[in-house]
Amino acid sequence: MIERSTAQEYLDDMHAVGITRLFQPYLTAGERAAGIRRVRQELARLRTELTTQRDLVAEENGATSAEDLKRRAAPMNLLLLLHEQLLDEVNDLERSLSNGKPLPYSFEFGRYIFGDDKTGEWFVGSREQYEEWLKIQQFKHRLDALIEKSQPAREQLGNVLGELSALSSTHEKRQKKIDNRKKRSFVLRRIAMLVILVAVSGTVGFHYFNTFRDLSLVAFALAVACGLLIPVVIANWKDPRTRTTRKQRKLEKQMLELKQEGSQYRQSYQPLELQIKALEVHYNRMMDTWQEARLVKNRLDTFIEEGQPLRDRVNGIRGELDELRLQREKLQKKLDRRQKRGAFARRMILHVMLVLASGALGFYLQYTGQQDYGSVMYGIGAFCILLVPLAYIDWKNYDGKLESKLRQVETRMRQLQTEGKQVMKRYHPVELQIKTLIAQYKRTRAGITTTEETPVMA
């Protein structure tokens, strides 16, 4: 077969396979079985070609990122989704035939694949949908043209607003300085500082008047200068004509000019902006009413968001139950080993063997004339004899501890199982709805619609 290079040609191939004819009631069982085998072979071939073509498209176009790769491969991925849904329909038909159930409802799928290479949005639909999509794209081109036309005015207005914002910030800082300068505390702090300098300078001049006459004169001169500055500070505080005020007036004049310039740009841009907003609202409304799959996806996202806390809790309960099961198995194995016949006897035999070995070694050492070492070994043997009842008590206590831990683990497991059942009662309906919406979304996204033909018994 000639290798297909476009998505539309692959979609035509899917229609040429004749999947929908398998659901016609007039076919015999043999004809339908032969058709199913042939369709499976054709679908397997098409899947191989689609996968290869998708990889070739990505390589030929030189995708530079995962998003770019996804966008370029979007039409082939949509056809692969359609292929998956068609294969599911064939499987449902085959199960109905094998179980003697009525034939599933027949279905149809779009004969046109269309979309936008720039956005990566592709759809499968009928001729009417394709023509409507073309109208929407023409509307979108008109909207893009208006946006492009308004771009210079938008940029100029943005620059003016940015410059005005910077000047407003500077104006606010300077105004704070002017407001602080008008406060009484501003001049009082400076007068207080000058008074302190007069007092300090006068004290220094008086103290060194007889010893360091030059230093004393300088101090007196500084005190006089600070005293003369006090009325100057008061007069300057009452005078509103300062350098900061002049800068502020100049800045306000610049801001006024920018506001007038921005108003002119806004007057020229505002009609286009209102028109663009109206067109965007109309375009989004057209897309929402046309694209049924998007509405299904919104419902699906709502249910997924609603069920996420319940799903997280179910996963948490399952994880904790798995850990508790492992812990219970370890505790049960320890108890089984300790409760086996002869387990305690082996422990007691070990103590007896230690007693006998210590006694025999002590007797040998005493026999060879090493009474001190022999006495030590006899003492060790006596100590091992005393350990026998303690070992029995410890054995029983440890058994009790293991049984207590095992009961705690089992109690916690029962609590988690009870909680898990309660959570699943709430999550199960949401999960079924999510699965239903996922299946509906895939069918709608692939352009499959169910016909109203009444099924017959297979």
Side-chain angles (χ1 to χ4, degrees):
M1 178 180 175
I2 300 175
E3 183 181 359
R4 303 295 181 181
S5 58
T6 65
Q8 184 60 49
E9 289 173 335
Y10 281 116
L11 181 59
D12 294 339
D13 272 358
M14 289 184 180
H15 279 279
V17 170
I19 300 175
T20 56
R21 290 196 295 269
L22 298 176
F23 293 81
Q24 300 300 324
Y26 57 79
L27 293 179
T28 64
E31 291 174 341
R32 190 173 280 111
I36 289 175
R37 288 193 297 271
R38 180 183 58 81
V39 165
R40 284 188 179 279
Q41 293 174 357
E42 292 296 323
L43 288 178
R45 175 187 59 80
L46 281 173
R47 178 173 180 80
T48 303
E49 292 184 9
L50 283 170
T51 305
T52 304
Q53 187 70 17
R54 179 189 62 185
D55 298 338
L56 287 175
V57 168
E59 292 177 1
E60 290 174 359
N61 290 282
T64 56
S65 63
E67 187 66 26
D68 189 24
L69 178 62
K70 181 180 178 181
R71 180 174 55 82
R72 295 179 185 278
M76 295 303 167
N77 285 331
L78 180 57
L79 290 178
L80 286 171
L81 176 62
L82 174 59
H83 177 279
E84 177 187 343
Q85 297 302 306
L86 294 177
L87 189 58
D88 288 343
E89 295 290 341
V90 174
N91 292 334
D92 291 341
L93 175 61
E94 196 170 26
R95 281 194 295 268
S96 298
L97 291 174
S98 61
N99 295 331
K101 295 181 179 180
L103 285 176
Y105 284 101
S106 182
F107 68 95
E108 297 176 351
F109 59 98
R111 292 188 171 274
Y112 292 87
I113 180 169
F114 46 89
D116 188 0
D117 286 326
K118 294 181 179 179
T119 61
E121 292 184 347
W122 285 80
F123 310 94
V124 174
S126 62
R127 182 174 184 82
E128 292 77 11
Q129 290 175 323
Y130 175 56
E131 291 175 352
E132 187 176 358
W133 167 259
L134 292 178
K135 293 179 182 178
I136 292 175
Q137 291 307 299
Q138 291 176 358
F139 191 87
K140 181 68 165 53
H141 293 328
R142 178 185 171 192
L143 177 61
D144 292 339
L146 281 176
I147 293 175
E148 185 177 359
K149 181 180 178 181
S150 64
Q151 186 65 27
R154 188 189 301 111
E155 291 178 354
Q156 291 172 348
L157 181 59
N159 294 333
V160 170
L161 292 178
E163 188 175 354
L164 184 60
S165 176
L167 292 179
S168 298
S169 178
T170 305
H171 180 272
E172 184 178 355
K173 293 178 181 179
R174 287 181 181 173
Q175 190 62 42
K176 286 182 179 180
K177 291 182 179 180
I178 294 173
D179 294 339
N180 290 332
R181 189 178 183 281
K182 292 179 180 180
K183 293 179 180 179
R184 188 179 298 273
S185 58
F186 176 84
V187 68
L188 291 179
R189 284 195 300 270
R190 281 154 178 75
I191 291 173
M193 183 180 65
L194 292 173
V195 169
I196 291 172
L197 287 175
V198 168
V200 172
S201 302
T203 303
V204 172
F206 181 77
H207 181 72
Y208 292 103
F209 185 77
N210 295 323
T211 55
F212 297 100
R213 183 63 60 87
D214 294 338
L215 178 61
S216 176
L217 293 176
V218 171
F220 282 134
L222 180 60
V224 172
C226 291
L228 294 175
L229 284 176
I230 292 176
V232 175
V233 169
I234 296 174
N236 186 46
W237 175 64
K238 292 183 177 181
D239 187 6
R241 296 173 297 177
T242 61
R243 190 190 331 176
T244 305
T245 307
R246 289 194 297 271
K247 289 182 179 179
Q248 188 74 336
R249 285 196 297 268
K250 184 178 180 182
L251 186 61
E252 289 173 352
K253 184 178 179 180
Q254 292 178 356
M255 291 176 63
L256 181 60
E257 292 175 354
L258 283 175
K259 287 180 180 179
Q260 293 174 352
E261 184 179 359
S263 178
Q264 294 175 358
Y265 285 128
R266 188 176 286 106
Q267 288 176 359
S268 62
Y269 171 66
Q270 192 171 18
L272 286 176
E273 183 183 18
L274 294 175
Q275 191 175 2
I276 288 171
K277 288 182 178 179
L279 290 177
E280 285 179 345
V281 171
H282 187 53
Y283 173 74
N284 292 330
R285 190 176 300 163
M286 291 171 63
M287 289 296 295
D288 288 338
T289 55
W290 181 83
Q291 190 181 355
E292 184 181 356
R294 179 180 297 178
L295 302 177
V296 177
K297 183 65 165 57
N298 292 337
R299 291 180 59 200
L300 176 60
D301 293 340
T302 302
F303 276 99
I304 290 176
E305 184 178 359
E306 178 184 348
Q308 187 64 39
L310 297 175
R311 183 165 53 252
D312 293 341
R313 183 54 190 154
V314 169
N315 294 333
I317 290 174
R318 287 173 179 171
E320 191 173 352
L321 277 175
D322 292 339
E323 294 179 359
L324 290 175
R325 286 192 186 98
L326 293 175
Q327 189 176 353
R328 184 183 61 178
E329 290 177 1
K330 292 179 181 179
L331 292 173
Q332 191 63 51
K333 286 180 180 179
K334 286 184 180 180
L335 277 174
D336 293 341
R337 284 197 305 267
R338 293 175 68 83
Q339 292 175 358
K340 286 182 179 179
R341 181 179 298 177
F344 179 70
R346 286 193 296 271
R347 178 66 63 89
M348 293 299 102
I349 290 173
L350 176 61
H351 284 281
V352 172
M353 293 297 294
L354 288 174
V355 171
L356 293 176
S358 301
L361 186 57
F363 177 78
Y364 173 75
L365 292 173
Q366 190 175 11
Y367 180 76
T368 56
Q370 301 178 14
Q371 284 79 6
D372 295 338
Y373 292 107
S375 299
V376 172
M377 295 311 298
Y378 283 139
I380 294 175
F383 179 73
C384 291
I385 292 174
L386 295 175
L387 284 179
V388 172
L390 295 177
Y392 176 77
I393 295 172
D394 179 68
W395 181 274
K396 293 299 182 182
N397 288 336
Y398 192 66
D399 282 347
K401 291 179 181 179
L402 289 178
E403 291 175 354
S404 176
K405 289 182 180 179
L406 183 60
R407 286 194 298 271
Q408 291 176 2
V409 170
E410 291 176 345
T411 302
R412 179 58 181 164
M413 289 179 65
R414 285 193 293 269
Q415 293 174 351
L416 288 174
Q417 288 169 354
T418 302
E419 183 184 357
K421 290 178 181 178
Q422 295 174 352
V423 175
M424 283 302 298
K425 285 182 181 179
R426 292 183 292 162
Y427 176 63
H428 188 61
V430 179
E431 185 181 23
L432 291 178
Q433 189 68 31
I434 289 174
K435 290 180 179 179
T436 303
L437 287 174
I438 288 175
Q440 182 182 357
Y441 173 72
K442 287 183 177 180
R443 286 176 61 85
T444 307
R445 187 74 180 86
I448 296 178
T449 56
T450 302
T451 60
E452 297 299 328
E453 295 180 3
T454 304
V456 299
M457 294 296 295

